[in-house]
Amino acid sequence: MTKKALITGIAGQDGSYLSEHLHSLGYEVHGIIRRHSVAENQNHRLHKHGLSDEIHTHYGDLLDYPSLVRIMNEVKPDEIYNLGAMSHVRVSFDMPSFTIQTNALGVLHMLEVYRTICPEAKFYQASSSEMFGNSVDEDGVQRLTTPMNPVSPYGCAKVMGYNLVRHYRHAYKLHACNGILFNHESPRRGSNFVTNKVVKSAVEIKKGLRDKLELGNLDSYRDWGHSKDYVRAMHMILNHDTPDEFIVATGQTHSVRDLCDVVFSKLGMNYQDYVVQNEKYMRPEELKYLKGDSSKAREVLGWQPEYTFESMMDEMIERWEREL
């Protein structure tokens, strides 16, 4: 029989790549989308990439428990991927209550509906490197044993969701697992996230459409991979024999300053001529450094990233050169 997958946050970057990946594997793919006033905002990634006719979408919300019950009863999925979240870390400082509700209480809602309606299914929770905060092991790496000391409402909420998944797995013997994904980007990333903001702005400057780029902290370091590689890891994590926790990361780190240098250089420019700092983009508490140890995912699951930082930037630049 054809496997059925249910994805929350299917209209996002990861959701669109995951639905594409699962569809290619023969899955019947269902996704939950939130209702927006502008219809194009609801599933523009799915429509743009030819997915809207291939998947089944349902209106719902992580904070609307009855809608989750209805959808779970209708779909009866074999696999559940909870990717839905308030996903912008900087904005979580401005909207802490909504972030906590969506990213923590929303996970609880999904787990309860999963437990009561289709407990035989497998459940994947999109956990985050932001959970570690500024905790770094002595060798400069974050791993599963690194203490979690988040420094944002987003990170705090993700820690609660992470622990809820572990609790439900042990308490109710569910196949519920966590993927701790470090930063991952792509041409489908929203342009209010720093990677695509830098790439889009650099192309606009190159084309004479703007003259400067305002950013926050240029000296924060991140472990950036490609979303397409990371959704493959999600599927591997969920289908591992034993439900468990895995870190997905490249093991390489770059600063925002490095990012600017690489992107502007690829376009024949010097970022120092165009990039300025603006206090409004600074976080009240900064997360300085992320570098993940994904050795467990590589050894146990056989996962390997196909993209490099350079090839990812090339793909993102090509998107904006084509569209602007």
Side-chain angles (χ1 to χ4, degrees), residues 171-183:
Y172 304 111
K173 306 299 184 285
L174 300 171
H175 191 105
C177 49
N178 282 292
I180 304 176
L181 273 56
F182 278 62
N183 297 67

Side-chain angles (χ1 to χ4, degrees), residues 195-238:
T195 46
N196 227 358
K197 180 179 179 178
V198 169
V199 175
K200 181 183 180 183
S201 299
V203 174
E204 287 175 331
I205 291 170
K206 181 71 173 180
K207 290 176 177 274
L209 301 175
R210 66 188 298 163
D211 56 10
K212 67 176 181 178
L213 166 60
E214 295 184 346
L215 295 173
N217 184 9
L218 297 177
D219 296 309
S220 58
Y221 285 77
R222 296 293 183 269
D223 183 334
W224 278 302
H226 197 295
S227 175
K228 193 181 290 187
D229 284 332
Y230 286 32
V231 301
R232 286 192 297 105
M234 294 177 189
H235 183 250
M236 290 177 171
I237 291 168
L238 189 73

